[in-house]
Amino acid sequence: QEPSNKRVKPLSRVTSLASLIPPVRATPLKRFSQTLQRSISFRSESRPDLFSPRPWARNVPPANTKRRDSKLWSETFDVCVNHMLTSKEIKRQEAIFELSQGEEDLIEDLKLAKKAYHDPMLKLSIMTEQELNQIFGTLDSLIPLHEDLLRRLQEVRKPDGSTEHVGHILVGWLPCLNSYDSYCSNQVAAKALLDHKKQDHRVQDFLQRCLESPFSRKLDLWNFLDIPRSRLVKYPLLLREILRHTPNDHPDQQHLEEAINIIQGIVAEINIKTGESECQYYKERLIYLEEGQRDSLIDNSRAVCCHGELKNNRGVKLHVFLFEEVLVITRAVTHNEQLCYQLYRQPIPVRELLLEDLQDGEVRLGGSLRGAFSNNERIKNFFRVSFKNGPQSQTHSLQANDSFNKQQWLNCIRQAKEKAACAGKAGGLEAHFPVAASGRRAPQGEAALEQMEQSDCESDCSMDTSELSADCERMEQTNSCESDKQIETNV
């Protein structure tokens, strides 16, 4: 073949497979009441990117990353024993071994977080002891807790590597996980403080050096601090896997079922308390420009359904909070070196909020010139919330980062409206037929019910609540008839 005279552009060198994969938005973790977000988004524009080059950072070649190889029970112990067991029993042993190996890995990571991060930063005065105590919380107290379970599991393991009974161990040990309450409840404040301290170049340089070291396995400090919470929510899955491969006549069957009930109750309780802690954290950081902005619906809220950064049609960045019964639109500000949230408009009651899903291109950005020369990407992923109560009225066209984020907001707002509507109807019926010694009827309850029904009917058609409204109307009629009959019977 004759040589080609065409100039060929050399291929850029690919340093890793990760560089070929586009960034993906992390799915929200089951937030302990859908926490650490629903994107608990602590990002601020002033915070430098973790991986961006810095003048004070060292230019060192990338180190070999230390990897943790996964281990299997059948590969760790004598193969001859495996041939004597059924396929189901081998799977059961694998599940038990995974539980034990996970405890060993967890203990190693918790000790590493203390030895490689906490102690050096304290010794080098990179952070104060009070700041480190806030960020690391009760991490130290979790290490002996898991060492105790690992010791118990190793004690009942036979010389050939097999384990006969684990249910009674789990039933006795799982109640100790109630101590996770304080650790998980502290994570919201810990993450906020850590993100704030990363603006200090000494802190950022230290964390970057650790990230480039082999021991980190490319995990940053927060990944290590979040491992205990991730382990906690994984226990129900691990126990179900062991139970799935346990014969019905096995003595462990009953104990494992009891253990699953225990851990589910503990996780549910921690979910609630962590959600309350997160809600209280954000309520304390709301800044009211005037007393008229204060709302009892905010004060009485015990959970944040959803929150994050959105933009209005003028490109202004807003931080929106959806509490249980009220939507609060704020702007992120720095107050006394803390990230706070200044109310942008009057809080909007969820029950009276109107939601509208806007099609791409339907919103025009503020300003004629700005809208004329705007990129098509900037007029996508909008939805509208509005509120009208007498002279007071608000309308906000809000833009999410992407279609997935937009759908999350729509779903959360619709769910909050449904809960508020059901709670309002129940309260309206109780007010309409009060159970009181005087036996008087309350006309205010009837008026409130009619107003709420009218508000529901006027809500956005994109919510597809026609079937829900019909069902609620039939339920209301049924409940009304039953209440009338009950009153006649009582008379």
Side-chain angles (χ1 to χ4, degrees):
Q1 297 179 356
E2 295 183 2
S4 173
N5 294 328
K6 291 183 179 180
R7 228 175 241 190
V8 180
K9 184 178 179 181
L11 293 174
S12 60
R13 183 179 178 185
V14 179
T15 56
S16 68
L17 183 61
S19 62
L20 298 175
I21 304 174
V24 179
R25 181 182 178 86
T27 55
L29 261 169
K30 278 183 184 176
R31 192 181 134 168
F32 290 119
S33 113
Q34 307 251 279
T35 220
L36 298 166
Q37 179 149 343
R38 177 139 356 302
S39 155
I40 285 190
S41 149
F42 297 92
R43 296 187 303 272
S44 63
E45 293 301 318
S46 59
R47 178 164 65 95
D49 187 13
L50 184 63
F51 298 101
S52 60
R54 293 167 187 80
W56 62 83
R58 299 178 305 163
N59 293 323
V60 294
N64 294 327
T65 304
K66 179 181 177 182
R67 296 185 178 182
R68 175 179 286 162
D69 297 328
S70 58
K71 298 180 182 179
L72 297 176
W73 176 80
S74 55
E75 297 175 353
T76 306
F77 296 98
D78 190 0
V79 180
C80 297
V81 178
N82 300 339
H83 294 309
M84 301 167 55
L85 301 176
T86 63
S87 174
K88 186 170 184 177
E89 181 58 30
I90 291 177
K91 291 180 180 179
R92 183 174 186 271
Q93 294 300 324
E94 293 284 7
I96 296 174
F97 183 73
E98 182 183 359
L99 173 66
S100 176
Q101 189 62 37
E103 292 300 304
E104 194 171 331
D105 294 341
L106 174 63
I107 294 168
E108 179 184 342
D109 287 336
L110 296 183
K111 290 182 176 179
L112 178 63
K114 178 173 174 56
K115 181 179 178 181
Y117 290 94
H118 178 280
D119 295 347
M121 284 194 289
L122 180 61
K123 187 174 182 180
L124 298 173
S125 300
I126 295 176
M127 288 194 200
T128 66
E129 184 175 3
Q130 182 180 2
E131 290 171 338
L132 290 171
N133 289 339
Q134 176 71 60
I135 292 173
F136 283 80
T138 57
L139 186 76
D140 282 349
S141 65
L142 304 181
I143 296 176
L145 182 71
H146 292 278
E147 285 178 336
D148 179 41
L149 176 60
L150 180 61
R151 178 184 57 80
R152 296 189 193 189
L153 293 174
Q154 290 175 343
E155 286 177 352
V156 297
R157 183 182 293 166
K158 296 180 180 178
D160 60 8
S162 62
T163 302
E164 186 67 23
H165 304 289
V166 293
H168 65 289
I169 294 176
L170 295 170
V171 169
W173 179 82
L174 284 174
C176 300
L177 292 178
N178 283 305
S179 60
Y180 264 72
D181 180 4
S182 58
Y183 183 81
C184 293
S185 298
N186 178 63
Q187 280 196 295
V188 178
K191 183 67 165 63
L193 178 58
L194 179 60
D195 284 346
H196 175 69
K197 294 301 294 183
K198 283 181 181 179
Q199 299 177 30
D200 183 344
H201 74 87
R202 292 187 67 210
V203 175
Q204 184 58 61
D205 185 35
F206 177 83
L207 296 179
Q208 183 66 26
R209 288 168 185 256
C210 291
L211 189 65
E212 294 169 354
S213 301
F215 70 81
S216 70
R217 308 195 307 276
K218 298 297 182 183
L219 301 176
D220 63 14
L221 173 57
W222 183 251
N223 291 133
F224 285 102
L225 295 177
D226 195 44
I227 285 175
R229 187 205 53 76
S230 301
R231 181 67 178 176
L232 178 65
V233 298
K234 193 176 180 180
Y235 279 120
L237 303 177
L238 293 171
L239 300 191
R240 287 195 193 97
E241 186 66 15
I242 298 175
L243 179 62
R244 191 161 68 94
H245 300 297
T246 300
N248 294 332
D249 57 348
H250 196 284
D252 251 5
Q253 179 82 16
Q254 184 176 354
H255 285 140
L256 287 172
E257 292 176 351
E258 183 180 354
I260 291 174
N261 291 332
I262 292 174
I263 186 60
Q264 286 178 336
I266 292 174
V267 171
E269 184 66 22
I270 294 178
N271 282 349
I272 296 173
K273 292 184 178 180
T274 305
E276 292 175 353
S277 174
E278 178 194 13
C279 182
Q280 185 62 32
Y281 174 85
Y282 287 117
K283 287 197 298 184
E284 291 174 354
R285 278 152 184 79
L286 292 178
I287 298 177
Y288 300 92
L289 295 177
E290 55 185 25
E291 285 299 317
Q293 291 180 330
R294 295 185 179 274
D295 196 315
S296 61
L297 294 177
I298 299 177
D299 298 334
N300 297 333
S301 296
R302 300 181 62 186
V304 180
C305 303
C306 186
H307 76 92
E309 186 180 275
L310 299 171
K311 294 180 182 179
N312 64 9
N313 60 333
R314 295 184 176 273
V316 178
K317 292 180 180 179
L318 305 170
H319 199 99
V320 182
F321 293 92
L322 176 62
F323 293 96
E324 293 169 305
E325 297 185 14
V326 63
L327 183 77
V328 182
I329 301 176
T330 69
R331 297 181 69 172
V333 297
T334 302
H335 181 68
N336 295 334
E337 296 187 354
Q338 282 190 344
L339 181 63
C340 297
Y341 305 93
Q342 186 181 83
L343 264 70
Y344 181 72
R345 289 290 185 271
Q346 197 75 14
I348 302 176
V350 169
R351 192 185 306 174
E352 301 171 22
L353 179 148
L354 301 179
L355 176 66
E356 185 179 357
D357 183 3
L358 301 177
Q359 300 299 319
D360 292 343
E362 188 173 343
V363 174
R364 183 176 179 180
L365 299 181
S368 57
L369 288 176
R370 187 176 181 183
F373 293 100
S374 63
N375 189 330
N376 288 335
E377 290 296 326
R378 299 186 59 192
I379 54 177
K380 290 183 178 180
N381 307 316
F382 270 93
F383 63 94
R384 181 178 293 141
V385 293
S386 56
F387 163 68
K388 186 174 183 180
N389 183 11
Q392 298 181 0
S393 63
Q394 296 182 47
T395 300
H396 304 277
S397 297
L398 303 173
Q399 183 183 29
N401 294 332
D402 50 45
S403 58
F404 176 77
N405 195 5
K406 171 187 173 180
Q407 194 58 46
Q408 273 193 315
W409 275 102
L410 293 176
N411 293 340
C412 288
I413 294 175
R414 287 167 182 166
Q415 291 173 8
K417 282 183 63 64
E418 289 177 6
K419 290 181 181 178
C422 293
K425 289 180 185 295
L429 288 174
E430 290 177 1
H432 191 64
F433 300 111
V435 181
S438 60
R440 294 180 302 172
R441 301 179 64 177
Q444 292 86 353
E446 184 177 1
L449 182 60
E450 291 177 357
Q451 182 180 1
M452 182 181 61
E453 290 174 348
Q454 183 179 0
S455 175
D456 289 342
C457 294
E458 294 174 354
S459 62
D460 175 66
C461 59
S462 64
M463 293 177 58
D464 193 19
T465 56
S466 55
E467 295 181 3
L468 177 65
S469 301
D471 292 340
C472 289
E473 186 177 354
R474 287 194 295 269
M475 291 171 58
E476 180 191 348
Q477 292 174 355
T478 304
N479 292 337
S480 178
C481 294
E482 292 177 354
S483 301
D484 288 336
K485 293 179 181 178
Q486 183 64 37
I487 289 175
E488 292 175 0
T489 305
N490 293 339
V491 172

